[in-house]
Amino acid sequence: MKFFFNVGRYFSMLKRVFARPERHKMYIRQLFREIDNLGVNSVGIVIVISVFIGGIMVIQFAYSMSNPLYPSELVGLGTRDTLILEFSSTMLALIMAGKIGSNITSEIGTMRVTEQIDSLEIMGVNSASYLILPKIVAVVFIFPFLFIISVFFGMLGGLLTGPVAGVITVPEYLDGIRYLFYPYYVTFSIIKSLFFGFLVATVPAYFGYYVQGGAFEVGKASTRAVVNTNILILLFDLILTRLLLT
């Protein structure tokens, strides 16, 4: 019953979140602040992780395809498709759930336990819409860009690591990157990124908005938010993969 209670309250919160804003200028100003705080500040960690993962993938693919019967171009192809189809969309969303999700939960949760949300309600402000809607729009907007950045720097990491490690030459890697490229893979992963961005913004916001207690409970809510967000990301990854890759 607790599960159904939380699901019902989650959708009830979303109904309030997407209510008509009272002052559009206020929301637009808050939106740009959230894009900078949640999106732009995440670019650095996305680049670092993607470069290292791209390099690791090249070495692993080269090792698993060391059989002379396999063309060396498969290393670049495998790295490219793995980055596009799974890592830069799903794995990156799991990482961002920890960074962005915990940030959202702790921020909103702290406002709840310090009664700032109650103060907004007393002033007649739709607190759910004012606090959560700009975060949702910002995260959903920035996630496809983070995906593109991750793919680019992941392949760049492979390009730098492969020749240095001596597992593949630059021309072979670039030939593999260009070999059998399907543009729909990018479309598929961008669609996934939009769904994941919505989950990363709304689920942690829910746990933060309804937290009760003090600072200790806010920390517990952040942990629960990240865990539940990761589970939902993997669930929707399975559903979307089944629906869109058939």
Side-chain angles (χ1 to χ4, degrees):
M1 293 301 296
K2 186 176 180 181
F3 169 78
F4 292 107
F5 170 76
N6 284 316
V7 171
R9 192 164 63 167
Y10 170 77
F11 283 104
S12 176
M13 182 198 73
L14 290 182
K15 183 179 179 182
R16 292 187 59 198
V17 167
F18 290 102
R20 184 177 179 180
E22 293 93 349
R23 296 171 57 186
H24 291 83
K25 289 184 179 180
M26 179 177 64
Y27 281 78
I28 293 174
R29 185 169 59 251
Q30 186 72 6
L31 172 62
F32 283 105
R33 187 180 298 115
E34 297 296 349
I35 289 176
D36 178 65
N37 182 40
L38 300 176
V40 176
N41 289 341
S42 301
V43 171
I45 188 173
V46 169
I47 292 175
V48 172
I49 292 174
S50 299
V51 167
F52 281 102
I53 289 297
I56 293 169
M57 283 182 181
V58 166
I59 295 174
Q60 290 183 341
F61 276 116
Y63 176 77
S64 61
M65 297 179 182
S66 57
N67 192 314
L69 296 177
Y70 297 142
S72 57
E73 288 79 6
L74 290 180
V75 175
L77 183 147
T79 301
R80 181 201 68 200
D81 285 351
T82 303
L83 285 169
I84 293 176
L85 288 173
E86 203 58 31
F87 173 78
S88 294
S89 55
T90 306
M91 295 299 107
L92 190 65
L94 295 174
I95 296 169
M96 289 298 103
K99 183 184 183 298
I100 297 176
S102 60
N103 183 301
I104 292 174
T105 303
S106 59
E107 179 183 339
I108 298 178
T110 300
M111 295 184 69
R112 170 64 75 183
V113 300
T114 56
E115 300 182 351
Q116 295 180 57
I117 293 179
D118 296 332
S119 300
L120 290 174
E121 296 286 350
I122 291 172
M123 291 187 294
V125 177
N126 181 351
S127 60
S129 180
Y130 174 72
L131 296 174
I132 301 174
L133 182 59
K135 298 182 188 300
I136 296 175
V137 176
V139 176
V140 172
F141 173 77
I142 202 67
F143 253 53
F145 293 99
L146 294 180
F147 162 75
I148 294 170
I149 291 171
S150 175
V151 172
F152 174 79
F153 281 95
M155 290 191 289
L156 180 62
L159 179 63
L160 297 174
T161 305
V164 172
V167 297
I168 192 172
T169 64
V170 172
E172 290 172 340
Y173 181 77
L174 293 177
D175 287 342
I177 292 294
R178 293 191 295 264
Y179 184 63
L180 292 177
F181 174 67
Y182 297 102
Y184 178 71
Y185 286 175
V186 177
T187 304
F188 161 70
S189 291
I190 288 178
I191 293 172
K192 287 204 303 180
S193 296
L194 295 173
F195 275 88
F196 296 159
F198 184 81
L199 292 174
V200 168
T202 56
V203 176
Y206 167 77
F207 280 94
Y209 191 77
Y210 290 107
V211 69
Q212 294 179 340
F216 179 71
E217 281 71 21
V218 173
K220 291 176 62 178
S222 296
T223 301
R224 291 198 301 271
V226 172
V227 171
N228 283 275
T229 304
N230 285 341
I231 293 172
L232 288 173
I233 286 173
L234 294 174
L235 174 62
F236 274 87
D237 183 34
L238 176 63
I239 295 172
L240 292 172
T241 300
R242 180 65 183 89
L243 291 176
L244 299 176
L245 287 184
T246 54

